[in-house]
Amino acid sequence: METYRLTEDEIKFLGRKYPYLKYNKDINIIKGVIDFDLEFPSENSVRIKDKYSIEIDFSKVNDHTLPSIRETDGKISNIAERKKIPREDLHLNNKNGELCIIIPPKIKERYPNGFDLEEFLNHLEEHLYWVSYYDRYNKKPWPDYGHSELGYLQLYLENKILYSAAFKNEFGISSRPELRRKIKYLKRKYNL
């Protein structure tokens, strides 16, 4: 994605819906506190109110059109430390608090018309809800995807027709025997 800059309408939306998030035009970053009060329909439906300090940097866009997001207070890292689990299990890419909110092949499904600030912030709230839920109840409110090769394997196993091309592309696979060998290897590696 080319460097994205918020429009005046998006800045007004941000001020109305997320008063604790501020957009700095000069450095093209949204920074502040995102708070939410959410409940998702499921058998374990629970309303959660929580907040996280974040930074959304539009000058750092990944290969898949989304800006870089960091949780800046170390809250998620602290949860991982307290629970003695890897940061990756709470979808942190690194100790700097960079979040992984979606596996690349799912981006077009979530953002069919490209980046949309409102959808992006809704998505971020859902992601943070997932983390808060896990923190409070020691279980996932809904299944997530693993990182890197595990995530691609899970996608492939979920829908071989829909995600076969993404899987092959990720691992540079060009033949059916090669695909079978890779699937077998990964299933064994991750006990799937």
Side-chain angles (χ1 to χ4, degrees), residues 14-118:
L14 193 66
R16 280 191 317 268
K17 179 94 191 274
Y18 299 94
Y20 304 112
L21 291 178
K22 303 295 179 202
Y23 179 58
N24 183 326
K25 289 181 182 179
D26 295 335
I27 56 175
N28 204 21
I29 288 177
I30 293 174
K31 191 171 183 175
V33 174
I34 185 168
D35 58 351
F36 57 84
D37 179 359
L38 296 174
E39 182 175 359
F40 291 96
S42 73
E43 65 182 57
N44 300 320
S45 182
V46 175
R47 178 168 227 94
I48 293 180
K49 291 181 179 182
D50 210 344
K51 57 186 175 185
Y52 291 82
S53 295
I54 61 160
E55 178 182 280
I56 301 169
D57 189 343
F58 291 96
S59 66
K60 295 180 182 171
V61 177
N62 66 25
D63 295 340
H64 309 287
T65 71
L66 297 180
S68 170
I69 314 163
R70 284 189 332 109
E71 191 272 310
T72 57
D73 281 350
K75 182 175 180 177
I76 300 173
S77 281
N78 290 339
I79 293 169
E81 282 181 32
R82 187 170 16 91
K83 293 187 174 295
K84 300 182 182 350
I85 59 174
R87 283 190 295 271
E88 296 82 24
D89 288 0
L90 296 179
H91 302 283
L92 283 180
N93 287 337
N94 53 47
K95 66 180 178 182
N96 295 327
E98 188 179 294
L99 302 180
C100 175
I101 66 169
I102 192 168
I103 189 164
K106 289 281 192 179
I107 292 174
K108 286 236 184 236
E109 293 173 26
R110 181 84 192 217
Y111 301 93
N113 301 314
F115 180 79
D116 175 280
L117 181 66
E118 188 172 347

Side-chain angles (χ1 to χ4, degrees), residues 98-183:
E98 188 179 294
L99 302 180
C100 175
I101 66 169
I102 192 168
I103 189 164
K106 289 281 192 179
I107 292 174
K108 286 236 184 236
E109 293 173 26
R110 181 84 192 217
Y111 301 93
N113 301 314
F115 180 79
D116 175 280
L117 181 66
E118 188 172 347
E119 179 61 22
F120 181 74
L121 291 170
N122 286 335
H123 185 183
L124 182 57
E125 285 183 346
E126 289 173 21
H127 179 85
L128 296 171
Y129 173 96
W130 189 98
V131 174
S132 293
Y133 187 101
Y134 188 89
D135 182 29
R136 293 175 189 193
Y137 303 104
N138 286 319
K139 63 182 182 180
K140 301 171 182 180
W142 55 79
D144 58 339
Y145 294 99
H147 285 257
S148 191
E149 60 185 19
L150 174 58
Y152 278 89
L153 174 62
Q154 291 168 323
L155 277 177
Y156 179 81
L157 296 175
E158 177 182 295
N159 187 328
K160 294 173 184 164
I161 295 169
L162 187 60
Y163 299 112
S164 179
F167 184 87
K168 290 176 184 174
N169 188 45
E170 176 67 13
F171 297 105
I173 294 171
S174 58
S175 70
R176 188 140 185 82
E178 199 178 348
L179 175 65
R180 282 196 296 265
R181 279 194 299 275
K182 188 68 173 181
I183 295 294

